Amino acid sequence: MTITQLQYVLAVAEHKNFTLAAEKCFVTQPTLSMQIQKVEEELSILIFDRSKKPIQLTDIGLKIVNQAKNIVNEANRINDIVDQQKGFIGGEFRLGIIPTIMPTLLPMFLKIFIKKYPKVNLIIEELNTEDIIFKLNNGHLDAAIAATPLNEEKIKEVVLYFEPFVAYIPENHDNFNKKEITIEDLNIDEILLLQDGHCFRDSVLNLCKNTNYAQKSHFQIESGSFETLIKLADEGLGTTLLPYLHTLDLKESDKLKLRHFIEPKPAREVSLIYAKSELKIHIIDALRTTIAGVIKGAIVFNNVQIVSPKIVK
């Protein structure tokens, strides 16, 4: 069997459809089906149960697919070895970034990175953490930037920086006159949150899990952007928490409403994450070094307490 045949097997296993898998592999459906059939005949087994809709893996097919992933990854590693030997940093590199990090961090490093490494074709996607994990595990991303720890068995995390939470408190709120606040000052009932699916929301809920509160609110608002949450807070509908980098671009009048937490400041851990197979590690290292250089002067907080995006029940 060939590497190409195994790639066809992996495509069908992922998409559960021969026609769609053929489109993704840029071949005709009969060609893809014939090559997979050759593998099955060579092994004298069936990898796919074609009687089911969508197509399902057989028990032995599942084991074969898991091994095929390892083989294809190791084959790709040969190109990495050659590139590193030549000192070549280039080619396509697919990077995922979560929505609460992308608007602030990406403008800080992108121009510098593409100028320093012009041969890298950087393809960037804004994705939530769940989609990032799925795409990393299935080889559709080379790396990602997300809040950690995620505790995913097949994913490696390299910490880039720690970003404190900052409270945005309107003038009519009791905590507005405080110079600094504590976690105990938070009331989860009045905190305006991002929509479900954002790990920053999960971190906020995790931060507030031990605070005392009563459910007295007559409404519930969840938004997809920090800008909307800030405007709602200004209308007297509550308070919100922001990641530190997001506060740097606020209007001066809005910065007067920011309140930092007393030390140790609650913060999120932001990491560069990638599959433990470590493909394209030379580009990953270049990306990490570039981000570390630009973030060093922007975030100078050292005494921080990490709040995981995973909810502690």
Side-chain angles (χ1 to χ4, degrees):
M1 69 192 72
T2 66
I3 298 296
T4 300
Q5 287 173 329
L6 294 181
Q7 289 172 331
Y8 292 165
V9 169
L10 293 179
V12 176
E14 178 183 351
H15 298 290
K16 296 180 172 59
N17 182 284
F18 278 83
T19 301
L20 183 56
E23 291 176 359
K24 297 296 182 180
C25 294
F26 303 103
V27 296
T28 64
Q29 189 268 330
T31 296
L32 179 136
S33 296
M34 181 181 65
Q35 292 301 320
I36 290 177
Q37 188 174 351
K38 283 185 177 180
V39 175
E40 291 178 321
E41 290 173 353
E42 180 180 341
L43 298 174
S44 299
I45 52 90
L46 287 178
I47 299 174
F48 299 102
D49 184 347
R50 295 163 175 78
S51 67
K52 295 182 178 179
K53 302 295 182 182
I55 294 169
Q56 300 293 320
L57 286 165
T58 61
D59 291 341
I60 187 65
L62 178 60
K63 295 178 181 179
I64 289 171
V65 164
N66 288 335
Q67 185 62 29
K69 289 180 180 178
N70 295 332
I71 294 170
V72 171
N73 280 338
E74 290 304 315
N76 290 334
R77 193 188 302 278
I78 294 175
N79 292 325
D80 283 354
I81 292 171
V82 174
D83 287 344
Q84 290 181 56
Q85 180 66 27
K86 293 179 178 179
F88 175 74
I89 299 180
E92 183 177 286
F93 190 84
R94 299 156 298 176
L95 178 69
I97 309 178
I98 62 173
T100 59
I101 291 177
M102 188 163 178
T104 51
L105 181 63
L106 185 60
M108 295 176 69
F109 78 83
L110 182 58
K111 186 175 181 179
I112 296 172
F113 183 82
I114 60 179
K115 184 177 181 180
K116 189 172 183 180
Y117 304 103
K119 294 181 180 179
V120 176
N121 178 22
L122 196 59
I123 300 172
I124 302 169
E125 289 186 76
E126 184 176 272
L127 301 164
N128 63 36
T129 303
E130 184 178 352
D131 289 337
I132 281 174
I133 292 172
F134 176 83
K135 290 200 169 193
L136 282 174
N137 285 332
N138 286 277
H140 299 311
L141 285 178
D142 296 304
I145 300 172
T148 53
L150 298 175
N151 301 318
E152 290 289 328
E153 182 182 354
K154 297 180 180 179
I155 293 177
K156 187 169 183 178
E157 303 173 359
V158 177
V159 178
L160 295 171
Y161 58 90
F162 302 109
E163 183 175 25
F165 297 87
V166 182
Y168 184 87
I169 300 174
E171 296 176 359
N172 61 352
H173 194 275
D174 293 341
N175 289 329
F176 180 78
N177 293 322
K178 296 182 178 181
K179 293 183 178 180
E180 292 183 310
I181 64 172
T182 66
I183 294 175
E184 287 70 28
D185 290 324
L186 301 177
N187 183 341
I188 190 61
D189 281 335
E190 64 181 20
I191 295 179
L192 303 167
L193 297 170
L194 291 174
Q195 292 170 338
D196 195 12
H198 289 271
C199 65
F200 191 83
R201 165 198 168 91
D202 294 342
S203 295
V204 171
L205 291 174
N206 203 20
L207 179 65
C208 300
K209 70 181 187 296
N210 293 323
T211 60
N212 295 320
Y213 63 90
Q215 305 233 357
K216 298 178 182 179
S217 177
H218 297 293
F219 60 89
Q220 183 176 356
I221 299 176
E222 296 178 358
S223 172
S225 73
F226 288 119
E227 287 71 20
T228 300
L229 298 181
I230 289 171
K231 290 179 180 178
L232 293 172
D234 286 337
E235 291 296 322
L237 294 175
T239 63
T240 193
L241 295 182
L242 305 173
Y244 174 75
L245 287 179
H246 189 89
T247 68
L248 300 181
D249 293 330
L250 293 180
K251 298 182 296 184
E252 292 302 318
S253 58
D254 287 337
K255 288 183 179 180
L256 296 175
K257 301 167 189 174
L258 298 176
R259 295 296 179 271
H260 288 267
F261 287 88
I262 63 170
E263 294 187 349
K265 300 179 185 298
R268 64 174 174 176
E269 179 183 87
V270 177
S271 298
L272 185 62
I273 64 176
Y274 50 93
K276 287 185 176 178
S277 57
E278 297 187 0
L279 297 173
K280 302 185 181 181
I281 194 65
H282 51 304
I283 301 180
I284 291 173
D285 286 341
L287 191 62
R288 178 188 57 78
T289 302
T290 302
I291 294 174
V294 299
I295 207 71
K296 187 175 181 180
I299 297 183
V300 294
F301 298 96
N302 293 315
N303 192 10
V304 296
Q305 181 176 358
I306 306 308
V307 178
S308 172
K310 297 278 189 177
I311 297 295
V312 178
K313 301 295 185 182

